[in-house]
Amino acid sequence: MKEIIINGLFIILAIIAVAISAKAIVRLAKLNRRFNTAIVLIPLYKKSKWPIIGVIFIAICLFVDIIVMLRFKYYIPCIAVAIALLSLMALFIAMISTKSAVLDSGIAVPYRFIEWATFYDYSIIDGNSIFFCGDEQGFDTVSSATSKLRFDEANLDKLTFILNKYKSHK
């Protein structure tokens, strides 16, 4: 009976992981479609390498999971963990494939889109790095401020002109 409960819990874990990953991947696909249908004014580049490190770590965990499954014959729990790891890996790959840019319709930042109507302010640091925020709470809130993005310094004047034109905090 104990084994059935444990196997059931692992299966539920795999289903939850697949559902959460699928929902996030669908949102990222919508963001990519929005990016692909818009006109890119200034491309932006992510500075973080954590999703790539995450994919490598998940691949190592998957390898260890397969070894545990073959060695100890825990088929159902190990297959459920493998499914959860594969769905998480697919999510990280989708995160890596998202693009960022200042578009004609708004700003595509990592994992979300800021429309011009909700764009509040920005901050340029180090000459080629920028933060954006989408509400009046500014850079103090995690939900509104973005991660640091890079841009080509040759586009600095064009970028500041476009952002100053649309920002609601003047």
Side-chain angles (χ1 to χ4, degrees):
M1 182 65 174
K2 185 177 176 182
E3 185 176 313
I4 294 172
I5 293 172
I6 291 172
N7 288 344
L9 289 174
F10 275 100
I11 291 170
I12 291 170
L13 169 76
I15 292 169
I16 291 171
V18 168
I20 291 171
S21 295
K23 182 179 177 183
I25 289 170
V26 166
R27 289 185 72 199
L28 291 173
K30 286 180 184 177
L31 180 64
N32 279 336
R33 262 184 268 140
R34 195 167 199 171
F35 180 90
N36 291 332
T37 59
I39 298 170
V40 176
L41 302 176
I42 299 170
L44 301 171
Y45 309 100
K46 295 177 242 173
K47 292 185 106 174
S48 178
K49 302 296 181 206
W50 286 110
I52 295 170
I53 293 169
V55 169
I56 294 168
F57 178 73
I58 292 169
I60 292 169
C61 290
L62 190 59
F63 180 72
V64 170
D65 182 59
I66 292 169
I67 290 173
V68 168
M69 180 177 64
L70 295 174
R71 171 70 173 100
F72 297 106
K73 311 283 191 241
Y74 295 141
Y75 295 113
I76 293 176
C78 289
I79 289 171
V81 169
I83 290 170
L85 288 171
L86 288 171
S87 66
L88 190 59
M89 185 181 286
L91 175 60
F92 274 63
I93 291 169
M95 290 169 64
I96 292 168
S97 70
T98 59
K99 300 171 188 162
S100 300
V102 175
L103 306 171
D104 60 337
S105 58
I107 307 167
V109 293
Y111 325 126
R112 68 181 180 160
F113 186 79
I114 301 172
E115 294 188 28
W116 290 125
T118 60
F119 174 61
Y120 187 73
D121 202 3
Y122 68 95
S123 179
I124 296 177
I125 46 176
D126 300 332
N128 72 339
S129 297
I130 190 166
F131 287 100
F132 297 100
C133 66
D135 64 15
E136 63 276 352
Q137 273 82 41
F139 302 101
D140 295 334
T141 61
V142 175
S143 64
S144 97
T146 66
S147 59
K148 190 188 301 186
L149 298 167
R150 291 181 297 112
F151 61 91
D152 186 8
E153 283 190 55
N155 292 329
L156 179 61
D157 293 333
K158 182 179 176 183
L159 179 64
T160 55
F161 174 77
I162 293 168
L163 295 176
N164 284 332
K165 177 181 173 184
Y166 287 107
K167 79 176 183 175
S168 61
H169 175 256
K170 298 184 186 214

